[in-house]
Every structure is written in structure tokens, then in C-alpha cells.
Amino acid sequence: LVMGQKNQLWWDLPVIESFEFNKAVYEIPDKIYEEQKNILVELLNIQKIIDQPVRKLSLGERMKCELAAALLHRPEVLFLDEPTIGLDVVSQKNIREFLHEYNKKSGATIILTSHYMEDIRRLCERVIIINHGELMYDGSVKNLTERFSKTKVIEVKVESKISHDDAAKMGKVIENSSTILRMAVARENVKNVTQQLLDRKEVEDISIHETSLEEIIGEMFTGAK
């Protein structure tokens, strides 16, 4: 179990001594310990910090070491509670990349709870959404989007503003300025609306996006109240 807001490493001791402590607690044989430690140190790129006291590490560095400590005994299941909370963008990316690579190499099951939808989108093959103890969804991210989002977002770069009345005929207007038109369009109408926009002289460029996970899940919870 690794929690983003709770330490298992000893605050004033070098990281390596917490590793040695876990080795003793889990009765890890010397050979397995050395092999697993070396694998984790390399994957997490923590060679230069494992001899430093935990209190001197940045939050991102500490989370890497927390993960390594939790995986020394090769658990079959890893529970992560908000592992990227408070981390900067680069540290979040590093943690996600490590988890993806470790899962692929070890086959360990990783159960992740997070309010950061980017964690979910990039890491999870299976998503479970629970609201006040009630199961709302259990399936893939792709199916979640298709099931609960009936629209896609079309964003148009324009040379001059398209009238609100014209835009409203094609979809629900989110933004309409002299440079950008953004609309929510029913999935089944995306192809037709895109063709209409391409035929207009005001249009310079078009991009089509799925509704964000934040918006989809927010609507699910709002509708469940």
C-alpha cells in the first residue's frame, strides 16, 4: 500500500536503511532483495538519492522511493491511494511511466484510487466509479466515454466570427469568438457538421475531441444527487 499523504519511509534515515528495514520485515532473501532493489532503483532512476535522508528529498523523489520500498518483496497486488497528489507535472509523468512499465514487466495487479483523471486515463485498463457506496460503472475508459458522453467537442479556428444562429444550428455553442468556435455536437452528427464547417469560408482549421473524463464523471455524480 502506497499513500500519497502518508510516509512509510523513516524520515531522518537514508532511504536505503528503510529498504533494509523492509527486507527484514518481509524476510526477503538476500539474492531476491538485491535483484529487486536494483531493478526498482534503475526503473525509478533513484541511484543518486537512496543514500540521502528522506527529509532532504523533494516530494517527487520521496514518492519514487515510497514505491520502491513497497515493491521490494514483489507483492502480487499494489494498492495506490492518490500517488501523484501534490506532484509537479514532470514528477506525475515519471510516476505514471514507472507504474506502466512495472505492471508490464512484473504482471502485478495495481489498484489505483485517484481524483486526477489523467492518472486514470493513462494507466487504467479497467475503471470502477463508486458514489456513496453505489457502483455506477465498471468497464474500460473507452466504453465509459461512449456510454456516458453523447457528444463530441468540435473546435474550429476561424478567420472571422460565425454568427451565433448559424453555429447553434450545428450544435450546442460552448464558445464563439472572432478566432474560435467550440461546440458540443451529438456523436451521430459529427461527420455531417464537420462537412458543413469545411464548406464555410471563415474556417481555417478543425479539431474534434472527446468530452473530457472530468466533465463526464462530474455529470455522472451531479445526475446521481
Side-chain angles (χ1 to χ4, degrees):
L1 170 65
V2 178
M3 305 178 72
Q5 296 180 314
K6 187 175 181 180
N7 295 347
Q8 66 169 319
L9 302 174
W10 292 83
W11 190 246
D12 291 310
L13 296 181
V15 172
I16 191 65
E17 293 194 25
S18 289
F19 288 1
E20 295 284 347
F21 177 79
N22 277 17
K23 174 181 180 291
V25 168
Y26 291 104
E27 299 179 343
I28 308 171
D30 291 344
K31 182 180 179 181
I32 293 176
Y33 168 74
E34 287 298 327
E35 288 176 355
Q36 186 72 345
K37 181 192 72 175
N38 292 339
I39 289 171
L40 293 168
V41 166
E42 182 178 352
L43 281 175
L44 287 161
N45 193 27
I46 55 175
Q47 297 91 335
K48 296 181 180 179
I49 61 175
I50 58 174
D51 292 317
Q52 296 183 33
V54 173
R55 58 184 165 78
K56 290 189 176 182
L57 304 181
S58 69
L59 180 57
E61 291 171 335
R62 181 172 64 76
M63 283 308 301
K64 286 183 178 182
C65 294
E66 292 278 355
L67 282 167
L71 295 170
L72 284 169
H73 63 292
R74 297 179 177 173
E76 293 182 4
V77 182
L78 173 64
F79 292 91
L80 300 176
D81 182 30
E82 301 282 5
T84 61
I85 190 168
L87 299 184
D88 60 64
V89 174
V90 174
S91 295
Q92 289 179 22
K93 180 175 180 289
N94 290 338
I95 294 295
R96 291 186 194 115
E97 288 179 349
F98 164 73
L99 291 172
H100 184 270
E101 188 66 18
Y102 184 79
N103 172 253
K104 184 171 67 174
K105 287 187 174 183
S106 70
T109 298
I110 299 176
I111 298 177
L112 164 72
T113 61
S114 181
H115 291 93
Y116 288 171
M117 293 304 102
E118 192 65 10
D119 288 349
I120 306 300
R121 189 176 71 81
R122 291 190 175 274
L123 289 173
C124 298
E125 294 180 2
R126 177 183 176 190
V127 176
I128 297 174
I129 300 174
I130 299 172
N131 185 32
H132 295 291
E134 179 183 351
L135 180 65
M136 298 182 71
Y137 177 78
D138 182 352
S140 69
V141 174
K142 181 176 183 293
N143 288 341
L144 170 66
T145 301
E146 292 177 352
R147 176 177 171 184
F148 291 96
S149 176
K150 305 302 181 185
T151 63
K152 287 191 175 186
V153 176
I154 297 181
E155 184 170 316
V156 185
K157 183 179 179 182
V158 294
E159 292 181 344
S160 57
K161 185 175 181 178
I162 296 176
S163 74
H164 182 82
D165 288 343
D166 284 353
K169 292 175 183 177
M170 294 181 281
K172 181 181 178 182
V173 178
I174 301 171
E175 177 185 353
N176 190 13
S177 69
S178 59
T179 57
I180 293 291
L181 169 63
R182 294 180 71 239
M183 300 181 296
V185 178
R187 286 178 174 274
E188 61 271 19
N189 294 335
V190 168
K191 182 178 179 180
N192 183 46
V193 170
T194 302
Q195 187 61 57
Q196 291 181 49
L197 289 165
L198 288 171
D199 290 339
R200 298 187 67 99
K201 64 180 186 301
E202 303 100 320
V203 173
E204 289 186 334
D205 193 17
I206 294 178
S207 57
I208 302 170
H209 311 281
E210 291 285 0
T211 305
S212 70
L213 279 179
E214 287 86 352
E215 292 175 301
I216 293 171
I217 294 175
E219 290 175 3
M220 289 174 67
F221 285 140
T222 301
K225 290 181 179 179

